[in-house]
Amino acid sequence: MPDLSVVIVGGLHSDARKAAVDRLLAEVPGSVVLHHDLATAASGTVVRTVRDAGGVRDTGETPLVNDCACCALREDLVPELRRLADAGDTRLAVVELWDSVEPKAMAEVVTAGGLTVTGVITAVDPALLLPYLGNGDDLAEAGLAAAATDQRTVADTFARQLEYAPVLAVAESEEADDEDRELLAQLHPTARRVPIGHGDLAGAALAGFDVEAAAAAQHPACALLPTDADAHGVTTFVWHRRRPFHPERLYAALEDLTCAAARSRGRFWLADKPDTLFHWDAAGGALCVESAGPWLASLPDAAWEMVPPVRRAAAALDWHPEHGDRCQHLVFTSPGLDREGLQRLLESCLLTDAEYAAGRDAWQRLPHAFDSLLEV
């Protein structure tokens, strides 16, 4: 099969996404765009369109798989890309994702299919950042659900789209101000931000992409989280401690902590569940807390060989002689963030000196306040 470069372009900001895709078509000779429209799922099919700079080349339909439009997309995408590769006249296939489809899953599908993903780009209109991060509506309410069982929200979907991509195609919006641009920079400080109108999007699309490294950068145990920042009215507050949370006090503070910032994420440690690494993921006034597996310190030495090297390296960089990799590492980003108030609230949720001195046996007898949230 001839070499074919695949770039994935996604994002809920559809106007910005379409502008980025059109820019790539104009910049890269021999490029085509492959798009699956999931809006037709209610009628039982997903509509596929292939176009180049001259217009539409091909259209088709694929039936839903298990009543899931996103599953149909997965089933249809790789065969279509292989067909383009076999034809031999396409240099770059631009996969334009439908609004709520997340790039991580599609990048992994394409790579598993034996094709080469050379770039993942999320298109962003800075003026829409805060409205989308603050939108706690279900995707279904917005007509953007990818399956009947899709329970994601606009905010958490947009946050993952934004944070997974190493390249952000940025629309030059007249409505965006310095605060909007600073918010974008703080939410994803390691991203390459390319203006859609005059940046080198083609170079970004062909720069190369590592699926495994991208997944590791999102895993709560070794995620590349933002660092402390404060500019143009936007603050990123990084909170790191080596003492466990009291489960009942943290649970009582969840609403205030969730609403304290436009976006917060990280990992945390509950005193009554000392072996479990918990993932904190909040946007749009909603919080998702889930187990992300064991802390490495809780594993026998023999099990370490089964842990990815990047996870072992991340733990080694932050290893504590008593607690190992157990820690609190939470990051809050927002305009108008009350850093001092947030810090006081977080500190109040930790074990007191007396509770800490009581030891682990006593910690595990504390109320299991998170069991209902975790469906234990």
Side-chain angles (χ1 to χ4, degrees), residues 224-247:
L224 295 175
L225 296 174
T227 56
D228 269 301
D230 195 345
H232 298 293
V234 181
T235 299
T236 293
F237 170 56
V238 178
W239 188 74
H240 193 274
R241 293 291 182 272
R242 289 291 188 178
R243 181 174 291 201
F245 278 125
H246 187 290

Side-chain angles (χ1 to χ4, degrees), residues 242-367:
R242 289 291 188 178
R243 181 174 291 201
F245 278 125
H246 187 290
E248 202 168 40
R249 288 200 295 274
L250 177 62
Y251 190 85
L254 287 181
E255 183 176 354
D256 288 340
L257 290 170
T258 300
C259 296
R263 176 70 172 137
S264 58
R265 54 192 175 122
R267 57 188 181 272
F268 68 100
W269 170 26
L270 290 174
D272 64 317
K273 302 182 189 303
D275 294 338
T276 303
L277 186 160
F278 289 103
H279 182 203
W280 177 286
D281 188 30
L287 170 67
C288 175
V289 168
E290 59 187 359
S291 165
W295 295 103
L296 293 194
S298 70
L299 296 177
D301 291 346
W304 279 54
E305 292 302 316
M306 296 181 285
V307 176
V310 66
R311 170 85 191 274
R312 297 200 300 269
L317 287 171
D318 199 28
W319 196 260
H320 185 274
E322 181 182 358
H323 303 307
D325 57 332
R326 295 182 183 92
C327 69
Q328 318 294 359
H329 188 173
L330 298 175
V331 178
F332 299 80
T333 299
S334 189
L337 189 77
D338 179 4
R339 180 191 291 263
E340 289 74 22
L342 183 54
Q343 179 165 341
R344 284 195 300 272
L345 182 57
L346 288 164
E347 302 284 349
S348 73
C349 297
L350 294 173
L351 294 186
T352 64
D353 289 347
E355 290 164 343
Y356 183 78
R360 292 191 182 184
D361 288 344
W363 301 351
Q364 293 187 67
R365 293 194 296 273
L366 292 169

